[in-house]
Amino acid sequence: MVDTVKLTIDGREIEVDKRLTLLQACELAGAEVPRFCFHDRLSIAGNCRMCLVEVEKAPKPVASCAQPIADGMVVHTRGPVAAKAQKGAMEFLLINHPLDCPICDQGGECDLQDQAMGYGKGISRYDEMKRSVQEKDFGPLIKTFMTRCIHCTRCVRFMEEIAGVPELGMTGRGEDSEITTYVERGIDSEMSGNIIDLCPVGALTSKPYAFIARPWELRKTESVDVMDAVGSNIRIDARGREVLRVLPRLHEDVNEEWIADKTRFAVDGLIRRRLDTPWIKQDGKLAKASWQDAIGAVAARLQDRDGDRIAAIAGDLVDCETLYAAKMLMANLGSPHLDCRQDGMAIDPAVRASWLFNTTIAGIEEADACLLIGCDPRHEAALVNTRLRKRWRRGGFKVASIGPALDLTFPVTNLGAGPESLPHLAQGQGGFAEILQAAQRPMVIVGAGALSRIDGAAVLAAARAIADRFGAVADGWNGFNVLHTAASRVGALDLGFVPGPGGRNTSGILDGARSGAIDTVILLGADEIDMAALKGAFVIYIGHHGDAGAAAADIILPAAAYTEKDATYVNLEGRPQHASRAVFPPGEAREDWAILRALSGLLGQPLPFDSHGELREAMQKAVPHLAAFDEIMPASWEDFGVAGAMADTAFASPVADYYRTCAISRASVTMERCSAAFAMPPAATGTEG
């Protein structure tokens, strides 16, 4: 039972949890208290003094962010004492601030501006010279104006507590105090961009976005991210037909209020290397064509062709509506050869529990032990890694990995490099087996590095055996998880975009293209496969970037990127989410589903929908849980995996370069700079403990 206390705030008596601070109690009472250093998700610093309030019988105003509450406390947040204290604190904070709002990127969305208007005096009694602080080089992403810094230390606390990369700190004392990286190096973290949002004064701003636009010029659209499989909730800010920035949107169960750097900064890739007109290969060279000629040529190629010689591979960024339309088109063509697993991940398409992150992201906080098999969550799904770190910081949470040595920002015990460790663990051998056995809610996370091998099905079976052996699946708890890297993967599996009876998977399609058994391949934004295998086949590419798939194509049909269409994506938990169009596609590019609908009409087998609404309705009728946005349909625990011999080779992470994993991020100049500045080492040094 929670202990409560009663206190009076601005004449209103309330009863609250005694563990809260006075500032939090004031918020519950509806009283607004200004603050700079305080943040709900960070430790208490109490160093900006902006949250001073009057507490009766106290000798002086108290900093409410760090003040415990007591029964019978009487508080005044807007009385003359509190108002004078807050005005004084604001005056001190502005002593050295350069007051350069007209040229500051934070202008219009700055806490210092807002609180100076609401709680400041409007004048300053200080006319001495302001101090000047040398700017820092934090890398390609963060631009610094450290003269504006008020030393709230939000950035320092975030990097240490949330990101787990304690590269920021304060040096010096008094007027010589500075926030710095100590050794003058960039901030090497996949979460570093969040300190831009946390900075309340414009000392830290976005370097790629510097001096580009003002917030009131931007059109804001709520959507979801596709740079990984987490499905982070985002806000897309655009001006005209160009996306200028991406910011996080609050979703406690998915990304809380953070986003990864690739999500935030890869947006400049949306305007580079874009496909904005159809192309047809003539005499070995691609030439621009009209839509009528290009789609007519595709229809001529597919018309009356044996369906067994046609195949389709879906890429990592494709939305559910496009996948559903493509599956229907392939069925009309009589082809069973389709797959959404470019990496060949060996999950069981018939058993939903074999491909979901069943614990859910928020459910990580309830686990008490975790085994990682062939995955690197820090680089494959950064928000999953921050959730694991959050759970580790609470204590009582041991993590071990089988695969390459990992630096996950928290201690990880390495149990071996490859699958040879799995049978021993399943038999209860080793110290970590005892930890799993004692755990009430153990987790197993299997990654693409383990399941995308030739022996992937056997590894999946071994991972399932470990989950069963240690009770990872029980009433009210499913601790078996698959960590995907592709935003389209779970939605595609839910829709059944996998080989039909007698159909070929991705590896089989590539083998068929080499042998001539498959002579026509449709690539739906697929860029991560071995394009050399398609040299003997006729390749039709429907996508939005001139990446590997377009380079191998005989016909290119330009499509829309994720910011340019209304769409459904399903994250790794199995949570359907709605992405909204923020801008229109460039040039003559069209939405993917519309291209497929037009093609089906030319083939004389029109798909049964004429609008996006009709398509979505048909898709949701076929797969009902896709209509339940933001809800997770739990998967039943059934048999999956194929027992068999496993190779001796070590697991390897599928992510060689965190900053360049898809066509959009590879087109981004910002991501290219990050890749050069923060190149991943050949073998990360793991932390054991």
Side-chain angles (χ1 to χ4, degrees):
M1 183 176 179
V2 177
D3 290 335
T4 61
V5 296
K6 289 183 180 179
L7 64 162
T8 303
I9 299 175
D10 291 342
R12 179 184 174 187
E13 185 176 82
I14 63 168
E15 185 174 355
V16 297
D17 186 337
K18 68 178 296 184
R19 295 172 297 180
L20 298 181
T21 65
L22 181 54
L23 187 148
Q24 292 169 313
C26 290
E27 288 184 332
L28 292 176
E32 182 179 324
V33 179
R35 85 294 299 268
F36 291 113
C37 66
F38 179 82
H39 192 280
D40 288 328
R41 302 185 197 276
L42 303 176
S43 61
I44 294 171
N47 53 10
C48 76
R49 318 311 287 179
M50 194 64 214
C51 64
L52 293 171
V53 298
E54 178 188 0
V55 178
E56 290 188 3
K57 299 182 181 179
K60 58 183 179 180
V62 301
S64 58
C65 71
Q67 176 65 40
I69 55 179
D71 200 49
M73 188 178 277
V74 180
V75 182
H76 303 283
T77 67
R78 295 301 291 155
V81 174
K84 181 180 179 181
Q86 291 163 3
K87 282 181 170 61
M90 178 62 71
E91 193 173 3
F92 274 113
L93 290 172
L94 292 176
I95 288 175
N96 286 307
H97 196 278
L99 304 180
D100 57 348
C101 301
I103 64 163
C104 178
D105 273 325
Q106 197 88 335
E109 47 191 11
C110 174
D111 291 347
L112 187 61
Q113 278 184 331
D114 296 340
Q115 293 184 45
M117 285 292 292
Y119 303 96
K121 298 181 67 171
I123 60 172
S124 174
R125 291 171 290 174
Y126 293 87
D127 56 9
E128 289 85 356
M129 292 289 292
K130 295 177 181 286
R131 77 168 190 158
S132 177
V133 181
Q134 184 177 356
E135 309 307 348
K136 314 300 180 187
D137 183 6
F138 285 180
L141 303 179
I142 301 167
K143 188 174 182 64
T144 66
F145 292 89
M146 302 312 289
T147 301
R148 300 173 186 159
C149 180
I150 61 170
H151 302 155
C152 70
T153 67
R154 279 187 178 184
C155 55
V156 176
R157 285 174 285 149
F158 173 84
M159 294 306 301
E160 182 172 346
E161 297 165 14
I162 308 296
V165 183
E167 294 186 350
L168 283 180
M170 183 181 291
T171 63
R173 299 180 64 186
E175 193 175 71
D176 296 325
S177 297
E178 295 184 23
I179 301 292
T180 180
T181 54
Y182 300 115
V183 291
E184 299 294 333
R185 53 165 293 181
I187 301 176
D188 187 2
S189 168
E190 303 73 35
M191 302 291 292
S192 65
N194 292 288
I195 65 177
I196 296 170
D197 299 331
L198 287 171
C199 183
V201 299
L204 304 175
T205 58
S206 171
K207 186 173 285 188
Y209 177 71
F211 312 122
I212 297 296
R214 289 298 194 179
W216 54 84
E217 300 175 334
L218 304 177
R219 185 176 61 255
K220 302 168 179 61
T221 307
E222 294 185 349
S223 191
V224 293
D225 171 53
V226 300
M227 293 294 106
D228 55 30
V230 173
S232 300
N233 283 225
I234 59 174
R235 193 188 83 194
I236 302 169
D237 287 359
R239 183 176 60 188
R241 301 187 66 168
E242 183 179 352
V243 173
L244 296 182
R245 66 176 180 178
V246 166
L247 298 177
R249 189 159 52 92
L250 179 67
H251 194 306
E252 293 289 355
D253 292 335
V254 180
N255 58 300
E256 298 182 301
E257 60 187 89
W258 321 118
I259 53 173
D261 286 352
K262 188 164 48 175
T263 300
R264 184 187 300 266
F265 293 109
V267 291
D268 63 317
L270 290 167
I271 61 171
R272 292 177 171 84
R273 299 172 61 182
R274 286 303 302 269
L275 300 173
D276 58 2
T277 188
W279 296 75
I280 299 177
K281 185 171 284 186
Q282 299 173 349
D283 300 325
K285 294 184 178 180
L286 287 167
K288 290 184 179 180
S290 68
W291 266 108
Q292 184 177 1
D293 291 344
I295 208 162
V298 174
R301 176 71 186 186
L302 298 177
Q303 191 77 51
D304 300 326
R305 186 165 295 275
D306 182 2
D308 202 46
R309 299 182 66 80
I310 304 171
I313 301 175
D316 294 347
L317 310 181
V318 187
D319 58 283
C320 290
E321 286 84 353
T322 298
L323 291 162
Y324 181 71
K327 182 183 177 183
M328 294 183 70
L329 178 65
M330 293 299 288
N332 290 345
L333 293 172
S335 172
H337 310 308
L338 64 161
D339 202 356
C340 62
R341 297 162 293 178
Q342 292 188 93
D343 54 10
M345 184 178 277
I347 48 84
D348 187 341
V351 182
R352 194 163 183 259
S354 76
W355 74 69
L356 286 185
F357 200 90
N358 295 283
T359 300
T360 74
I361 297 171
I364 291 172
E365 298 186 34
E366 301 177 27
D368 48 8
C370 180
L371 174 66
L372 306 172
I373 302 175
C375 65
D376 177 3
R378 179 173 176 182
H379 298 105
E380 296 172 34
L383 272 302
V384 171
N385 195 65
T386 60
R387 209 56 97 118
L388 288 166
R389 175 175 170 79
K390 182 180 180 181
R391 175 63 189 89
W392 169 78
R393 291 186 72 235
R394 285 208 335 254
F397 186 64
K398 297 289 187 179
V399 183
S401 73
I402 298 176
L406 301 174
D407 178 6
L408 298 183
T409 71
F410 51 87
V412 179
T413 302
N414 190 277
L415 304 180
E420 68 279 355
S421 303
L422 296 174
H424 301 299
L425 196 59
Q427 294 168 10
Q429 300 176 14
F432 198 75
E434 298 177 4
I435 293 173
L436 289 173
Q437 192 67 58
Q440 298 297 310
R441 292 189 167 185
M443 285 179 63
V444 176
I445 303 179
V446 191
L451 300 181
S452 299
R453 301 154 39 111
I454 295 176
D455 59 353
V459 174
L460 181 67
R464 184 212 156 88
I466 291 173
D468 285 335
R469 169 73 170 76
F470 297 106
V473 180
D475 291 341
W477 178 256
N478 189 330
F480 183 85
N481 304 283
V482 173
L483 187 67
H484 293 283
T485 58
S488 66
R489 186 67 51 81
V490 173
L493 293 169
D494 280 345
L495 288 164
F497 201 91
V498 291
R504 296 172 179 259
N505 59 15
T506 298
S507 177
I509 291 170
L510 297 180
D511 288 342
R514 290 189 188 95
S515 67
I518 299 290
D519 62 14
T520 304
V521 179
I522 301 172
L523 300 180
L524 298 171
D527 297 295
E528 318 303 327
I529 58 175
D530 179 13
M531 297 299 170
L534 301 179
K535 285 185 177 179
F538 188 88
V539 178
I540 302 160
Y541 184 78
I542 303 175
H544 42 75
H545 274 76
D547 208 79
D554 294 281
I555 297 179
I556 298 173
L557 303 178
Y562 75 104
T563 56
E564 300 158 3
K565 55 189 172 184
D566 291 305
T568 301
Y569 289 94
V570 185
N571 79 342
L572 50 77
E573 308 167 290
R575 182 192 303 271
Q577 299 189 104
H578 176 65
S580 299
R581 181 174 60 199
V583 294
F584 287 94
E588 298 180 44
R590 299 290 182 266
E591 293 187 35
D592 316 53
W593 72 267
I595 297 172
L596 296 170
R597 172 62 181 83
L599 178 59
S600 70
L602 287 179
L603 290 170
Q605 303 178 72
L607 298 176
F609 45 80
D610 294 315
S611 69
H612 185 269
E614 292 177 2
L615 166 57
R616 176 170 286 178
E617 184 178 350
M619 178 188 73
Q620 293 174 349
K621 185 176 181 180
V623 186
H625 73 262
L626 293 182
F629 284 117
D630 206 35
E631 296 182 14
I632 300 174
M633 186 184 76
S636 59
W637 189 246
E638 304 172 29
D639 289 333
F640 57 82
V642 179
M646 292 178 284
D648 294 332
T649 53
F651 295 137
S653 172
V655 177
D657 185 347
Y658 165 76
Y659 296 101
R660 311 187 75 192
T661 56
C662 64
I664 296 174
S665 58
R666 284 192 290 268
S668 166
V669 172
T670 303
M671 293 296 97
E672 183 178 2
R673 290 170 180 162
C674 288
S675 179
F678 307 123
M680 292 173 61
T685 301
T687 304
E688 298 195 7

